[in-house]
Amino acid sequence: MSKLWNDVDAYFTSQLNAEDEVMTGILENDEERTEATNGQGKFLQLLARIKGAKTVLEIGTLDGYSTLWLGKVLPEEGRMATIEPNPEYAEKALKHIETAGLDDKIEIIGTSAEETLPKLLEKGYPRFDFIYINANQQHYPDYLEGAISMAKSGSVIVTERKILETFEAEETTCPKMQRFMQILSEHPRVDATAVQTVGSSGHDGFVIAVLD
């Protein structure tokens, strides 16, 4: 991995991507996170701000790091649902959310996305303005279809996706990847693109889509 990539991430982090004590604590206690993490979190937050999102859905809470970035940009009446079936992750995330004072806006739902997504409207949630997917990539096609069903015209969907060194082989041999790309390229409501990134986390990337 390039030292320059690390140095650039560290520089922009120090200059632009201010965190609070809760976010800093999450980073310090997670050896897998990198300098790029808070830049990515700030990027998500800015996208939600640009969208003017009042309702946010996150599929894959983990320890709540991206949850906090998104939750902090919600307006007073804003509401966020984040799905995390792993009880250990959900417990950690809840502590971070409560410490950040966002528990009145954010609900952690402790069931699988497959089980949860069809029932969100019944739980009183509206269709979401902004949806972030960062979970088991083997289920991305299902998560993406579920997200589309929970979105409205103009909604933004961001899908984290590791750009693997074996991407070319994966693209041609993995049915899940083929189906994921087919939804993005052929669904009549979806206008999407993929962006590659480099930095402390290596060769990475994301997909961003807007719904008609």
Side-chain angles (χ1 to χ4, degrees):
M1 189 181 302
S2 169
K3 179 179 181 299
L4 177 62
W5 296 356
N6 293 331
D7 291 345
V8 171
D9 273 336
Y11 172 74
F12 283 120
T13 291
S14 67
Q15 297 296 313
L16 299 175
N17 305 322
E19 298 175 320
D20 59 21
E21 293 180 1
V22 180
M23 291 178 176
T24 302
I26 295 174
L27 287 179
E28 290 176 347
N29 289 294
D30 189 341
E31 295 179 355
E32 295 182 2
R33 294 191 180 275
T34 66
E35 289 287 349
T37 303
N38 45 15
Q40 294 164 350
K42 182 66 174 291
F43 177 73
L44 277 176
Q45 187 185 79
L46 288 176
L47 286 178
R49 283 190 66 187
I50 292 167
K51 169 58 190 169
K54 295 181 179 179
T55 52
V56 174
L57 171 63
E58 179 181 51
I59 301 175
T61 315
L62 297 178
D63 53 14
Y65 187 76
S66 57
T67 316
L68 296 188
W69 278 106
L70 290 168
K72 283 179 174 293
V73 80
L74 287 171
E76 189 66 29
E77 72 279 13
R79 191 177 182 192
M80 180 175 180
T82 181
I83 299 171
E84 181 50 69
N86 184 309
E88 183 178 349
Y89 287 145
E91 183 178 358
K92 288 181 180 179
L94 180 58
K95 290 180 181 178
H96 294 146
I97 290 167
E98 290 176 342
T99 302
L102 292 170
D103 48 306
D104 60 332
K105 294 182 178 180
I106 302 173
E107 178 186 7
I108 299 177
I109 302 175
T111 52
S112 69
E114 296 90 333
E115 180 181 350
T116 302
L117 290 171
K119 300 178 181 178
L120 282 176
L121 294 179
E122 296 176 11
K123 287 175 64 68
Y125 278 96
R127 298 191 183 277
F128 293 90
D129 299 316
F130 190 93
I131 300 172
Y132 177 51
I133 303 173
N134 183 14
N136 186 337
Q137 292 184 354
Q138 288 297 311
H139 298 292
Y140 266 25
D142 299 323
Y143 296 158
L144 180 58
E145 287 182 330
I148 293 170
S149 72
M150 290 303 304
K152 56 189 176 184
S153 178
S155 294
V156 174
I157 299 175
V158 179
T159 302
E160 189 277 341
R161 164 147 188 92
K162 277 287 186 183
I163 305 298
L164 305 176
E165 293 179 2
T166 56
F167 180 82
E168 185 175 357
E170 184 188 38
E171 180 185 23
T172 58
T173 62
C174 177
K176 295 288 187 180
M177 177 63 175
Q178 292 170 358
R179 184 174 159 222
F180 177 66
M181 294 304 297
Q182 185 177 22
I183 297 168
L184 290 170
S185 62
E186 298 182 5
H187 195 288
R189 295 186 61 201
V190 174
D191 189 11
T193 192
V195 177
Q196 298 182 73
T197 61
V198 294
S200 300
S201 58
H203 189 191
D204 208 341
F206 63 92
V207 169
I208 183 169
V210 177
L211 276 288
D212 291 333

